[in-house]
Amino acid sequence: MTLTTPAPTTPGTGLRQQVLALYLSNSSLDAAVVAWGAWDGTGATRPTAGDADEPPYATGVEALLDGWRLFQASPLQPPAPGHEYDTSFLKHEFFFEKLVEV
């Protein structure tokens, strides 16, 4: 197996990743967003938790329509017997990315 080394880029230029995490009300991408987070690898913005009252998109499908690429969805796992009504982490987590030239 041969590994390819990426071509060197000029410092401060090249592709950078923006990441968007949407937590949906169920496992369907057209379900409502109940929580979110964003990170900007371009350095152009510095989003922080709680800096907006409204989610950037109402559903995961709206993010796809705006050009975000889905790269990870949390697997569905049933609750352990006896813990069906416990509160815990948000289960329906979807990670999206955009690659931006800087």
Side-chain angles (χ1 to χ4, degrees):
M1 179 174 168
T2 303
L3 296 177
T4 305
T5 303
T9 59
T10 304
T13 64
L15 290 176
R16 299 292 185 270
Q17 187 180 38
Q18 294 176 322
V19 176
L20 174 67
L22 297 179
Y23 300 87
L24 306 181
S25 60
N26 64 46
S27 62
S28 175
L29 276 173
D30 59 1
V33 172
V34 296
W36 64 94
W39 299 267
D40 188 352
T42 69
T45 63
R46 298 215 179 267
T48 60
D51 64 356
D53 291 334
E54 296 293 325
Y57 301 98
T59 67
V61 172
E62 284 189 7
L64 292 174
L65 292 171
D66 194 35
W68 289 89
R69 299 173 1 159
L70 177 67
F71 70 92
Q72 181 176 323
S74 59
L76 294 177
Q77 297 180 348
H83 296 275
E84 294 85 355
Y85 301 104
D86 290 354
T87 57
S88 182
F89 60 92
L90 298 171
K91 295 190 291 187
H92 308 296
E93 177 182 69
F94 295 86
F95 277 91
F96 299 85
E97 72 171 357
K98 274 189 178 177
L99 297 177
V100 178
E101 186 78 35
V102 293

